[in-house]
Amino acid sequence: MTTIPGWADQLRVYIDKSEQMMSVSLDDELLYRWPVSTARPGKVTPNGVFTPQSMKRMHYSTLYNNAPMPFSIFFSGNYAIHGTTQIKKLGCVASAGCIRLHPDNAEILFNMTLEAGMPNTRIIIRD
């Protein structure tokens, strides 16, 4: 995990697409490591450093047949970190671009982001 200078006292969410894993740190202390699903072939999960733009406890996709997206943290337009019902696919590429988590883990992350505040949260996505 990379330490980013000047980011102390912030919530950091690292997504490693090559490992299909998320690491969650607060004040440079690793708190969680969870399997995720990012974009399947033909779709894209963007790389970069993002700040959450909005959050919804329950969102239904307007792009994918009203698919439930519990504990959504939107970070780049229509991209979000959210819970999924397809938990058997976690650890493998499977999404249309969002970052899928087990709903229990999505709820933990959602609540941590609420507590830290969106401006104090960074989402870092790498291949």
Side-chain angles (χ1 to χ4, degrees), residues 1-14 25 27-28 48-50 122-126:
M1 199 173 330
T2 306
T3 300
I4 300 172
W7 280 17
D9 303 317
Q10 289 196 12
L11 179 62
R12 290 187 287 283
V13 181
Y14 296 93
S25 297
D27 298 337
D28 294 325
V49 178
F50 306 93
R122 295 296 178 272
I123 299 164
I124 301 109
I125 306 171
R126 301 283 185 248

Side-chain angles (χ1 to χ4, degrees), residues 13-23 33-41 43-50 75 79 81 89-100 123-127:
V13 181
Y14 296 93
I15 294 94
D16 183 330
K17 294 190 298 186
S18 67
E19 291 186 11
Q20 292 296 292
M21 292 295 293
M22 173 186 289
S23 301
R33 191 163 155 77
W34 298 314
V36 297
S37 288
T38 61
R40 63 186 174 265
K43 300 292 184 176
V44 175
T45 299
N47 286 341
V49 178
F50 306 93
F75 61 88
Y79 293 102
I81 298 170
K89 293 184 178 181
L90 293 174
C92 302
V93 295
S95 82
C98 286
I99 298 163
R100 297 178 181 173
I123 299 164
I124 301 109
I125 306 171
R126 301 283 185 248
D127 285 327

Side-chain angles (χ1 to χ4, degrees), residues 19-127:
E19 291 186 11
Q20 292 296 292
M21 292 295 293
M22 173 186 289
S23 301
V24 180
S25 297
L26 183 63
D27 298 337
D28 294 325
E29 180 183 347
L30 178 64
L31 300 178
Y32 299 103
R33 191 163 155 77
W34 298 314
V36 297
S37 288
T38 61
R40 63 186 174 265
K43 300 292 184 176
V44 175
T45 299
N47 286 341
V49 178
F50 306 93
T51 301
Q53 297 172 327
S54 65
M55 299 173 64
K56 286 186 76 175
R57 283 193 184 278
M58 179 51 83
H59 179 78
Y60 293 92
S61 174
T62 57
L63 300 175
Y64 297 98
N65 301 317
N66 287 323
M69 298 167 58
F71 305 107
S72 291
I73 302 169
F74 288 90
F75 61 88
S76 180
N78 290 323
Y79 293 102
I81 298 170
H82 63 81
T84 183
T85 56
Q86 297 182 358
I87 56 176
K88 290 184 180 184
K89 293 184 178 181
L90 293 174
C92 302
V93 295
S95 82
C98 286
I99 298 163
R100 297 178 181 173
L101 277 174
H102 188 286
D104 295 343
N105 299 336
E107 183 176 15
I108 291 168
L109 182 63
F110 187 93
N111 289 330
M112 289 180 73
T113 303
L114 277 178
E115 188 166 328
M118 290 190 300
N120 298 319
T121 301
R122 295 296 178 272
I123 299 164
I124 301 109
I125 306 171
R126 301 283 185 248
D127 285 327

